Amino acid sequence: MKISVIGLGFVGFPLYISILNISQRISSVVGLEEDSNNGRIKIKKILQTKKNYFNNKELDFLFNKNKKKINISSDYKNAVESDFIFICIPFHIDAKLKTNEKNYFLTIKKYYLAAKKNSIIILNSTLPPGYTSSLIAKFKKQNIFREDVGIVFSPERVEPGLNYLKSIVDSPRVFSSNSNDVISRKTKKLFSIIFNTRKFKLIEFKKYEEAELCKILENSYRASNIAFIEEWGVLAEKLEINIYSILNAIKQRETHSNIMKPGLGVGGYCLTKDPYFAKFSSINYLSKKIEFPFIDLSMKTNLRMHLRSISMLRSILKKSKIKKILIIGIAYTNNVDDLRNSRGIDLLKFIKTRGVLTHIYDEAVKQKKILGSIVINNLSKINNYDCIIFVNKNSAIKKINFKKIKRDITLLDLNNVLDEKEIDMLIDKTKNLTVLGRGDV
């Protein structure tokens, strides 16, 4: 069995490495990037990295173990002998519903025409509901449709961070062959080899649109849940009460266990874009447009959420003589080297406008400097800073001895980073503590 993985980014390369580690029944795994300057730079970076490419313990173990077996290039012809071709390139969309649909289509078309007889192309991207069917319709319109090449849609479910590898291998998956029994059987066999389908359920949908909508609805629900809690955090602050103790009490009921907590804002790649796919589908694939007022409000709320934290910081900078700031955690979430749509970056940009010297501590981030700010590698001189801003929760928190924090330091927790015990200790130690969602502090 021969496999190709197209796109060696946050989704494709971890998938490639996980498959490369499998020896039974897989004779070849090829990784491919676009034939462009960016693609060649990415390939060069991978090949020149001697060890620990991912900054993730489990994935780096597989990378280091299989380094000599890595076979990657920018020549699409290297995929022509593959039985399965995973398409892991992103389908972008923004708030104005602008996409890279044209380039995405051209990439798939290139591999579709080059694929060998009886091979299967697996679309592993997040796509707007209706896209896969429209793709096939476009192939037919251009007279290039092939009966001898199958198309499957199975969205990625990647969760960067400590569970990066687990989210690929040990996680429930969905797919659709659009009710093609032959392609379905082959796909199930492949997935049983490369994913843990014995323990984690593999769900097959009859139509492409069902599998496409599954991913979009999942992320739209999460984005809306985050937006929902924002105004309640504001209310708790005005009432001078603790929103987190209230949420913990609500979570005692199983039906309410997934209620979110206030924070700096939604970041990353998926939650900031996926809900827009519903509107895109409505406009492009339905005969009559559907409105999505709830999604519109949620996305509008999430796009502005970080401005409240910036307003808090602006007020602090006006009142206090702060000359040096330390931001703990700069990535969009905990334990990831991913700055895409990070609200921590938005916060840093604001601080830059105030001319305050700022350093960053984030163990997962590889960069030495971000927007001109030095990324430090230890917290031994934490008391040299006038202000510490907690942006995300990583292992750095365990290294801080809060008992030795100086009394006049300003502390700002914007993402529920500090636990109850740490907050109680700091309340007794300093009057300069601000916690988002805690009106009682």
Side-chain angles (χ1 to χ4, degrees):
M1 185 182 294
K2 296 180 180 180
I3 299 172
S4 286
V5 177
I6 316 305
L8 303 177
F10 285 94
V11 173
F13 194 49
L15 175 65
Y16 173 84
I17 286 295
S18 69
I19 298 173
L20 192 63
N21 190 55
I22 301 168
S23 56
Q24 294 183 341
R25 291 184 281 183
I26 296 179
S27 58
S28 170
V29 189
V30 176
L32 290 150
E33 258 297 332
E34 61 180 339
D35 187 14
S36 67
N37 187 50
N38 287 338
R40 288 186 286 274
I41 288 173
K42 189 177 293 184
I43 289 169
K44 185 177 180 181
K45 180 183 177 183
I46 291 171
L47 294 177
Q48 288 184 344
T49 301
K50 295 181 180 180
K51 59 184 296 186
N52 300 341
Y53 178 85
F54 294 97
N55 206 13
N56 174 278
K57 185 178 180 180
E58 294 177 334
L59 278 171
D60 280 331
F61 174 79
L62 298 185
F63 177 85
N64 299 340
K65 176 184 174 183
N66 298 287
K67 179 71 169 65
K68 293 181 180 179
K69 292 162 57 178
I70 290 176
N71 178 15
I72 58 177
S73 78
S74 59
D75 186 356
Y76 77 98
K77 293 179 182 178
N78 288 343
V80 297
E81 294 301 319
S82 296
D83 301 294
F84 297 92
I85 299 174
F86 281 90
I87 303 293
C88 299
I89 58 175
F91 191 111
H92 302 302
I93 190 169
D94 63 18
K96 295 181 179 179
L97 305 188
K98 291 183 179 180
T99 73
N100 64 331
E101 182 181 14
K102 182 179 179 180
N103 289 335
Y104 188 86
F105 169 76
L106 291 175
T107 299
I108 296 176
K109 179 180 176 180
K110 179 171 61 178
Y111 286 98
Y112 180 73
L113 293 176
K116 74 174 186 178
K117 186 178 180 180
N118 296 323
S119 61
I120 295 174
I121 290 178
I122 300 173
L123 305 181
N124 197 221
S125 317
T126 301
L127 297 174
Y131 178 81
T132 309
S133 292
S134 75
L135 175 73
I136 293 172
K138 193 175 288 188
F139 285 159
K140 289 179 178 179
K141 187 176 182 180
Q142 295 183 5
N143 294 318
I144 59 172
F145 177 72
R146 298 178 60 182
E147 294 282 359
D148 61 347
V149 176
I151 295 180
V152 165
F153 176 75
S154 181
E156 55 88 4
R157 309 292 282 276
V158 169
E159 182 186 329
L162 298 178
N163 295 320
Y164 209 162
L165 179 61
K166 184 178 179 181
S167 68
I168 297 170
V169 179
D170 295 326
S171 181
R173 296 191 72 90
V174 303
F175 84 97
S176 176
S177 65
N178 222 37
S179 300
N180 185 310
D181 291 338
V182 174
I183 295 175
S184 175
R185 284 196 297 272
K186 288 182 178 181
T187 302
K188 287 178 181 176
K189 182 178 179 180
L190 169 69
F191 284 8
S192 71
I193 295 170
I194 64 176
F195 304 130
N196 187 1
T197 57
R198 287 187 178 183
K199 187 174 180 181
F200 297 92
K201 192 173 183 179
L202 178 61
I203 301 168
E204 180 179 7
F205 288 113
K206 293 180 180 179
K207 298 180 68 176
Y208 289 134
E209 290 79 6
E210 293 174 294
E212 290 165 334
L213 183 61
C214 183
K215 176 66 183 293
I216 302 305
L217 181 56
E218 174 186 326
N219 279 350
S220 296
Y221 169 75
R222 184 170 175 82
S224 298
N225 200 345
I226 294 170
F228 168 79
I229 203 64
E230 169 68 0
E231 59 198 28
W232 298 98
V234 174
L235 179 61
E237 290 170 14
K238 298 297 183 183
L239 292 173
E240 299 184 354
I241 58 177
N242 179 359
I243 188 66
Y244 301 106
S245 61
I246 296 165
L247 293 174
N248 289 335
I250 292 172
K251 285 187 174 189
Q252 298 306 307
R253 299 180 64 187
E254 291 185 9
T255 53
H256 296 61
S257 60
N258 61 348
I259 191 169
M260 301 300 288
K261 295 179 179 180
L264 177 56
V266 176
Y269 182 65
C270 296
L271 297 189
T272 54
K273 73 169 180 64
D274 286 0
Y276 293 128
F277 280 133
K279 297 179 72 175
F280 181 88
S281 293
S282 173
I283 293 169
N284 291 277
Y285 307 135
L286 300 182
S287 58
K288 189 175 181 180
K289 181 181 175 183
I290 298 173
E291 298 295 332
F292 293 90
F294 196 81
I295 289 296
D296 288 340
L297 182 58
S298 295
M299 297 302 280
K300 183 179 178 180
T301 301
N302 288 341
L303 282 172
R304 295 180 56 82
M305 194 180 294
H306 66 288
L307 298 179
R308 187 159 72 91
S309 294
I310 288 176
S311 179
M312 284 183 174
L313 181 57
R314 182 185 290 111
S315 178
I316 289 171
L317 292 176
K318 282 182 179 179
K319 296 176 183 177
S320 308
K321 292 181 180 180
I322 293 175
K323 296 181 179 179
K324 196 173 182 182
I325 293 175
L326 174 64
I327 297 176
I328 295 183
I330 194 68
Y332 84 89
T333 191
N334 310 331
N335 303 300
V336 301
D337 183 18
D338 189 350
L339 303 180
R340 292 177 298 175
N341 298 311
S342 169
R343 299 310 171 198
I345 294 293
D346 293 324
L347 193 72
L348 179 59
K349 287 178 179 177
F350 166 73
I351 297 171
K352 290 289 181 181
T353 66
R354 294 300 187 267
V356 181
L357 178 65
T358 306
H359 289 167
I360 299 160
Y361 182 89
D362 193 322
E363 290 180 319
V365 173
K366 295 179 182 178
Q367 293 174 234
K368 304 292 185 182
K369 280 188 176 183
I370 299 173
L371 298 180
S373 290
I374 295 171
V375 180
I376 63 173
N377 56 18
N378 69 75
L379 295 169
S380 60
K381 298 180 179 179
I382 197 168
N383 278 325
N384 286 358
Y385 298 92
D386 305 306
C387 176
I388 301 174
I389 304 173
F390 299 95
V391 168
N392 65 45
K393 189 178 292 188
N394 55 52
S395 55
I397 306 303
K398 297 177 182 178
K399 299 180 180 180
I400 300 174
N401 185 346
F402 288 102
K403 292 180 180 179
K404 293 185 178 181
I405 289 285
K406 61 182 181 181
R407 286 192 173 276
D408 61 345
I409 200 167
T410 297
L411 303 171
L412 182 57
D413 182 358
L414 299 175
N415 232 357
N416 188 36
V417 174
L418 302 171
D419 62 30
E420 199 75 33
K421 186 177 180 181
E422 290 163 344
I423 290 173
D424 288 343
M425 182 192 305
L426 291 169
I427 288 173
D428 292 337
K429 192 170 180 58
T430 177
K431 293 181 179 180
N432 303 321
L433 172 65
T434 303
V435 181
L436 192 78
R438 290 286 301 264
D440 59 324
V441 173

